[in-house]
Amino acid sequence: MKTHPNSNSPLHCGLALCAGLIAVSTASAQVNSPTPPAESDVVKLLTYTVSADTEEGYYSSSVLSGTRSQTALRDLPMTVNVVTSELIADLGAIKLEESLQYTPGVRKGSDFEGNLTLRGFRETTPRFNGFPTLNTSRWDSAVIDRVEVLKGPSAAIYGSTAAAGGFVNIISKKPLFQNRRSLTLSAGSMERYRASLDLTGPIAFGGEPAKFAYRVVGVVQEGSNNGWRDFADGERRVISPSLTWRPWSRTEVTLELYRDRYDRVMDVATQPLKGSDQSRLFFDQLSPEFNINGPDSFDNFFMDAAFLYITHEINPQWAIRTISAYFNSGQDFLRRQGFTEVANNPGVLATFGLNRHLGFDRMWHRADLQWKQSTKVGRFGAILGLQHYDDSTRQTNVQDTTEPRFPLFAYTAQNFAYKPLSAYTTTQGLDNDTRGWLMNGLLSYSVADEKLTFFGNYARRLEGESRSVNYFAGQSEATVAWESVEDPDDYQLGATFKLTSWLNVYGMFGRDIRLNSVDNAGVRLPNITADMVEGGLKFNFGSRVNGALAVFDIEHANLARRDFSQPSQPITASGTERTRGAELELYLRPIENLDVIFAYAYFDAKITANPERPDLVGTPLNDSPENSASVWGRYRFTRGFAKGFSAGLGLVYQDESHPFGSQTAQRRAYAVAPKSAILNAMLRHVRPLEQGREISTQLSLNNLTDEKYLSGTDYGAPFTADLTVSYRF
């Protein structure tokens, strides 16, 4: 692994070339004095961005994820949490999960980036502008404009989703028709150094109104995102150029590219909890910095993606939108495949090394047709969507089947030495391919002066097929036939009613039915079902108080289960999980210049059926504490000697939880993560310069009390500090 960037590398040369081209284009734009198109000429219906005028500080009154088009948050019969760009910046978030720590019902599932639990259910595949990514996705915050979290099963809106608890939708930064440029440098207390460049603005020719806008985001980082672990090292390079073209009134075409290379020492933190009788022992004795993998391990991650968005507003009633996407990601890694305690010898570990290549390819196309119409009998709205997908997954395992042993609390560097890769044995070569067509639609109907609105969502797989090729078993693509995939219909029905000008009441119910895995004999298991009922209140008191209260009941059934301590036991679709609970989210501005967000979640999340492990029935779901709460406040000083300063303070609390869940071997499902309260802070100073420029300096302090706690199944980070300087020009 390289420990220092090479200034002559192709990436650095490419960044320099992009910067040079942008400098030339923007200089030309300034000479020609381009003017952006009038707001009335900009596409209004099926956009891929949310209008800036709907955001105020940490609160956004509109979202994209609820209906696939910009919709007022209070008019949706479901929960959608929003993390605005302003909040992401104040938190100093680099990883996706760092931006979500003050969102109710969202927990970090493990130390792998992007591994989250929503309302007690695992979600590992965030979406990118509605596009379903894959479980190796690690989107850098430099390209994120906002994050929206759609709660509950949502296949009726977006097609098959990965979890009953909902999904995370990343809204990326798009080219702007106004000049905005920033250079940001940061340094962390754990030897992480980072630089990011964000350039956007119009491009015009001959003094005409600008029809083109560009954006380029680049990141260079030295040091792992988990640099506080033992042996941690890494480097990351991200480049994301995009171009928007408005050839005619109400027509917009955007091409967005993303390239990410992230190489680091493989970091799999030691899971510190064992059985109920030892749940405190390992937690107290292990160091959070301890990494079961050593300096010889590696995790080389790559991702390349291209997105083409086309939006055309035919008239105020009709609009059409398409997205075509290509996504290729994967990783090569060498790591220890966890550890197990040696029988009758506490504190001694047995491990084995695993070298794996994962590769994911996805081609995805979608077209949406939107219609809106006001009539004497009410206001109608409809979106009809058709999508095609073609996915391929490649997985190769090469592992050392021996079991080296070493003492947990008295290990040496030699305990972490790996054998040469040539000594490893290939144990698996597996390809999974799926392709097909999906149709879904949304219909809304408003009556009584639009006080009462009914919603209906419906999705149906028109055609689908899949195949799995196990090369290790002697199969090939020529010998494995495609099989038809059955996927019954998904639906949602809901309504909202405006009780007053500031209060809405809503309710909805729905069902998702998703393709299951196969059993030991390759036979497809019964489809997974997710049923939800939700109701609540949404309120808006202007800029002072905004928020929502949701009460819900979700049941996830036909889950593939077995006791993994018994590898010969067959996999069956017999598991059922259920979460009943409530969530409260508040955006407050009690006085001028003070912004506060408060979140609270109550979960009764349990395993309700597991014939293979009846002893687990009643056990809480993965990382779903009964009570969790968070609060973050920021005050801006506008007068006196402190003018230009902002200060932020946050607290994240959770009850005891069960981090390992229902698919675990031996007795780890009984392990308990102690309750925790994490204190974070931020201090920033903004200094205005001439001609609208400014320089800001921000100090982010995380885990101020150096609390020892669990984040999902792994130890959370100790006290860390990051200093960030940003120059806007």
Side-chain angles (χ1 to χ4, degrees):
M1 178 186 300
K2 295 181 292 183
T3 58
H4 299 285
N6 180 355
S7 60
N8 295 320
S9 69
L11 179 59
H12 283 76
C13 294
L15 283 170
L17 178 59
C18 288
L21 290 173
I22 292 166
V24 172
S25 64
T26 54
S28 172
Q30 291 171 352
V31 169
N32 291 315
S33 300
T35 57
E39 188 65 22
S40 60
D41 292 335
V42 178
V43 173
K44 293 290 188 181
L45 295 179
L46 286 170
T47 64
Y48 284 98
T49 57
V50 176
S51 301
D53 57 7
T54 67
E55 289 190 5
E56 185 172 358
Y58 297 154
Y59 178 71
S60 175
S61 60
S62 295
V63 296
L64 294 174
S65 300
T67 62
R68 304 199 307 271
S69 66
Q70 182 170 323
T71 306
L73 184 61
R74 62 176 296 180
D75 292 337
L76 291 173
M78 63 194 70
T79 297
V80 183
N81 306 123
V82 180
V83 182
T84 64
S85 57
E86 194 167 318
L87 179 57
I88 294 173
D90 283 353
L91 298 179
I94 294 178
K95 297 188 290 184
L96 175 63
E97 56 265 33
E98 292 172 344
S99 67
L100 295 166
Q101 57 186 312
Y102 296 94
T103 303
V106 180
R107 312 298 303 172
K108 182 178 175 182
S110 74
D111 212 41
F112 288 101
E113 297 178 47
N115 195 332
L116 303 167
T117 62
L118 279 68
R119 290 182 171 175
F121 301 101
R122 282 290 176 92
E123 163 58 48
T124 59
T125 54
R127 288 182 174 246
F128 189 79
N129 297 315
F131 167 77
T133 63
L134 297 160
N135 59 9
T136 56
S137 304
R138 298 172 184 170
W139 302 96
D140 193 278
S141 63
V143 303
I144 298 176
D145 181 59
R146 59 153 52 190
V147 181
E148 298 181 353
V149 185
L150 178 61
K151 297 292 184 60
S154 314
I157 305 175
Y158 281 92
S160 270
T161 55
F167 67 83
V168 174
N169 190 19
I170 297 169
I171 309 299
S172 65
K173 294 178 179 177
K174 299 296 191 299
L176 302 177
F177 282 82
Q178 298 85 30
N179 286 312
R180 294 185 186 176
R181 308 179 188 91
S182 66
L183 173 64
T184 303
L185 306 175
S186 65
S189 57
M190 301 299 175
E191 298 186 2
R192 181 179 64 193
Y193 305 97
R194 177 181 168 91
S196 63
L197 184 67
D198 185 353
L199 306 172
T200 186
I203 304 174
F205 305 95
E208 296 293 326
K211 291 189 175 183
F212 291 89
Y214 71 91
R215 191 158 202 158
V216 173
V217 178
V219 176
V220 176
Q221 178 177 310
E222 296 298 319
S224 169
N225 284 336
N226 297 326
W228 50 276
R229 299 272 193 215
D230 288 347
F231 320 114
D233 190 15
E235 63 176 33
R236 189 172 195 175
R237 306 290 185 264
V238 177
I239 183 72
S240 180
S242 55
L243 182 69
T244 291
W245 175 38
R246 291 178 178 166
W248 306 287
S249 175
R250 303 178 184 275
T251 301
E252 187 171 278
V253 181
T254 297
L255 174 65
E256 183 175 10
L257 307 177
Y258 185 89
R259 178 180 175 87
D260 192 351
R261 297 294 183 270
Y262 185 20
D263 300 335
R264 61 173 188 165
V265 171
M266 187 67 189
D267 175 31
V268 177
T270 304
Q271 297 176 341
L273 303 182
K274 303 300 284 183
S276 59
D277 55 336
Q278 303 179 42
S279 61
R280 303 284 182 176
L281 174 64
F282 277 22
F283 178 80
D284 292 337
Q285 294 188 7
L286 276 182
S287 167
E289 289 82 4
F290 179 73
N291 182 1
I292 194 67
N293 288 282
D296 298 330
S297 67
F298 61 85
D299 177 13
N300 299 332
F301 163 77
F302 65 91
M303 181 161 63
D304 297 299
F307 307 90
L308 179 64
Y309 315 95
I310 302 175
T311 308
H312 177 64
E313 189 173 303
I314 302 170
N315 56 44
Q317 287 76 45
W318 291 90
I320 189 169
R321 174 183 65 187
T322 68
I323 173 176
S324 294
Y326 169 73
F327 183 86
N328 173 243
S329 73
Q331 63 185 140
D332 294 290
F333 62 80
L334 173 65
R335 69 176 175 95
R336 300 193 184 280
Q337 182 67 10
F339 70 92
T340 58
E341 187 176 0
V342 177
N344 302 318
N345 197 348
V348 175
L349 302 184
T351 71
F352 61 89
L354 172 67
N355 182 50
R356 174 180 289 176
H357 169 75
L358 297 175
F360 301 92
D361 291 280
R362 170 164 286 172
M363 292 290 294
W364 196 81
H365 308 278
R366 181 177 182 88
D368 285 311
L369 178 65
Q370 184 182 43
W371 169 67
K372 289 185 177 182
Q373 185 69 53
S374 295
T375 69
K376 293 181 179 180
V377 295
R379 180 176 176 84
F380 292 88
I383 299 178
L384 180 64
L386 180 67
Q387 68 187 45
H388 178 262
Y389 59 92
D390 191 339
D391 301 338
S392 296
T393 303
R394 309 283 183 259
Q395 177 174 313
T396 302
N397 287 350
V398 181
Q399 69 183 42
D400 172 16
T401 56
T402 63
E403 293 188 345
R405 300 182 178 189
F406 61 91
L408 176 61
F409 301 108
Y411 55 85
T412 66
Q414 184 60 33
N415 295 131
F416 297 97
Y418 285 88
K419 296 179 180 180
L421 291 180
S422 59
Y424 284 53
T425 302
T426 301
T427 60
Q428 185 183 63
L430 184 66
D431 288 4
N432 285 290
D433 302 313
T434 59
R435 62 192 183 193
W437 291 87
L438 184 89
M439 179 275 293
N440 57 358
L442 177 149
L443 179 65
S444 64
Y445 173 52
S446 299
V447 294
D449 294 328
E450 300 187 21
K451 289 185 177 181
L452 176 63
T453 302
F454 298 95
F455 285 85
N457 302 309
Y458 171 79
R460 181 178 182 82
R461 190 188 300 272
L462 302 179
E463 179 183 288
E465 54 185 3
S466 67
R467 67 179 179 184
S468 296
V469 182
N470 190 338
Y471 297 99
F472 189 67
Q475 297 178 336
S476 66
E477 291 186 359
T479 61
V480 178
W482 289 89
E483 296 182 357
S484 295
V485 173
E486 298 294 333
D487 190 3
D489 305 342
D490 306 305
Y491 63 87
Q492 282 184 340
L493 297 172
T496 66
F497 181 71
K498 295 180 181 179
L499 291 175
T500 69
S501 60
W502 53 268
L503 181 64
N504 281 29
V505 60
Y506 75 92
M508 64 87 66
F509 67 93
R511 161 169 279 207
D512 283 5
I513 303 180
R514 184 165 54 90
L515 188 68
N516 210 336
S517 57
V518 297
D519 63 15
N520 297 39
V523 178
R524 185 72 61 185
L525 296 172
N527 288 320
I528 298 171
T529 62
D531 295 282
M532 182 175 77
V533 177
E534 179 177 327
L537 303 172
K538 297 186 180 183
F539 40 89
N540 186 322
F541 293 93
S543 62
R544 295 297 184 185
V545 180
N546 294 280
L549 172 66
V551 180
F552 55 87
D553 186 342
I554 306 173
E555 185 175 78
H556 209 194
N558 293 340
L559 303 174
R561 291 292 180 262
R562 71 174 181 185
D563 183 354
F564 285 90
S565 65
Q566 304 178 38
S568 61
Q569 186 183 74
I571 301 175
T572 61
S574 56
T576 303
E577 300 173 348
R578 185 177 185 181
T579 296
R580 290 175 288 185
E583 293 174 347
L584 173 65
E585 187 173 37
L586 293 174
Y587 299 86
L588 309 172
R589 184 169 288 176
I591 61 175
E592 196 67 25
N593 300 323
L594 176 61
D595 290 280
V596 179
I597 55 173
F598 172 80
Y600 170 77
Y602 165 78
F603 288 157
D604 178 17
K606 291 183 172 63
I607 300 169
T608 54
N610 192 333
E612 284 68 38
R613 292 287 304 274
D615 56 308
L616 294 181
V617 174
T619 302
L621 301 185
N622 302 67
D623 197 39
S624 54
E626 186 175 28
N627 295 282
S628 61
S630 64
V631 61
W632 172 268
R634 178 202 62 194
Y635 185 77
R636 291 177 172 175
F637 297 88
T638 58
R639 298 178 182 178
F641 72 94
K643 183 178 180 179
F645 279 93
S646 298
L649 187 65
L651 178 68
V652 180
Y653 168 82
Q654 72 168 26
D655 278 348
E656 291 186 342
S657 63
H658 288 226
F660 295 105
S662 60
Q663 296 191 63
T664 186
Q666 302 172 355
R667 294 176 55 82
R668 285 194 299 163
Y670 295 106
V672 177
K675 64 178 63 176
S676 63
I678 309 304
L679 191 63
N680 305 314
M682 175 274 293
L683 181 65
R684 179 172 59 236
H685 179 261
V686 179
R687 180 185 177 186
L689 303 175
E690 296 178 352
Q691 299 178 345
R693 297 173 297 169
E694 68 177 32
I695 185 166
S696 66
T697 304
Q698 178 171 321
L699 178 64
S700 299
L701 304 174
N702 300 305
N703 195 2
L704 282 169
T705 60
D706 204 20
E707 178 91 353
K708 193 175 183 181
Y709 70 103
L710 286 188
S711 179
T713 58
D714 306 320
Y715 280 109
F719 169 76
T720 60
D722 292 277
L723 181 64
T724 302
V725 179
S726 182
Y727 174 50
R728 300 181 185 276
F729 56 98

